[in-house]
Amino acid sequence: MIHIDGRSRPTPKPDWFRWCAQAGVTGVNPEAGPRFPDSMLAVQAAIAGQGVVIVSRVLVADALAAGVLEEPFSQSLAGDAYHFACATGLEQRADIIALRTWLQTFVSAL
């Protein structure tokens, strides 16, 4: 199990303690495994075959699509919600609408 020590979001953190509890996994030490200070180093460790990491699908979408990484479990943890926001009165501008449409298409494809 690969750990990310420098992660501060989302809250609660998506860590192996939460994952094991949610998946009903017992008999493993959720503290075992290599530790990295940020998500991208942890992802590189997973690509290098050093273990399994809990990370946002957004960060690994390309690696998953390329077959460099696989999702070995169907179990996932809920994360933060992100909202598209702009100044009042700008929501009908063509560039804002285009960006919003692109983001919705991108996110729904993940």
Side-chain angles (χ1 to χ4, degrees), residues 9 57-58:
R9 301 282 309 163
R57 282 189 183 100
V58 172

Side-chain angles (χ1 to χ4, degrees), residues 7-79:
R7 184 171 12 209
S8 62
R9 301 282 309 163
T11 302
K13 293 180 186 177
D15 61 18
W16 287 107
F17 287 100
R18 283 188 54 223
W19 189 90
C20 288
Q22 183 174 308
V25 173
T26 59
V28 298
N29 177 1
E31 292 185 31
R35 307 187 89 77
F36 295 90
D38 68 54
S39 296
M40 293 315 295
L41 288 172
V43 168
Q44 289 303 310
I47 290 171
Q50 294 184 21
V52 180
V53 65
I54 297 173
V55 67
S56 168
R57 282 189 183 100
V58 172
L59 292 179
V60 295
D62 291 341
L64 290 168
V68 176
L69 287 175
E70 295 287 332
E71 289 184 83
F73 310 109
S74 59
Q75 185 72 29
S76 64
L77 293 172

Side-chain angles (χ1 to χ4, degrees), residues 85-91 96:
C86 65
T88 302
L90 298 182
E91 64 276 0
I96 300 293

